[in-house]
Amino acid sequence: MNSFEFNKIAGAFLMSLLIITVIGHIGNFIIPKPVVSHEAKEVDAAELLVIPGVGTFGAGMRRLRQLGLVELLAARCRAERPLLAICLGLQILCEE
């Protein structure tokens, strides 16, 4: 596998967004069930969104644009909804 193929695969993996949804309560504790999705409806509905830090910036942004998630993620940030962005996941949220 050459570096181009690796970056393509890694970029695609980045866009498999990890969504944490709440499935139940035990006493005062919430049990989260992780859901991996790139569907805009699920991403928008997630209580907590985790954007992993795997891949390259260019490939990641291309995939976000293909999936129509760029504006959705920007709106989520502006609304200060819970979001954990790791490494590249944080870089893709930057405007410049």
Side-chain angles (χ1 to χ4, degrees), residues 2-87:
N2 64 37
S3 63
F4 175 77
E5 291 170 334
F6 175 80
N7 286 339
K8 187 176 177 183
I9 292 168
F13 177 74
L14 166 67
M15 294 309 106
S16 294
L17 301 174
L18 176 61
I19 301 172
I20 307 294
T21 56
V22 175
I23 60 168
H25 299 270
I26 297 179
N28 293 328
F29 299 98
I30 298 173
I31 303 172
K33 178 185 177 190
V35 176
V36 177
S37 178
H38 60 269
E39 299 294 327
K41 188 175 183 178
E42 289 180 325
V43 171
D44 191 42
E47 279 192 48
L48 169 64
L49 181 66
V50 178
I51 305 175
V54 178
T56 63
F57 181 82
M61 287 305 296
R62 276 190 300 279
R63 186 70 174 137
L64 281 175
R65 286 185 190 103
Q66 289 171 349
L67 295 170
L69 294 175
V70 173
E71 181 52 37
L72 187 145
L73 293 175
R76 187 180 183 99
C77 289
R78 285 191 299 271
E80 298 183 7
R81 293 179 60 202
L83 172 69
L84 173 62
I86 302 166
C87 196

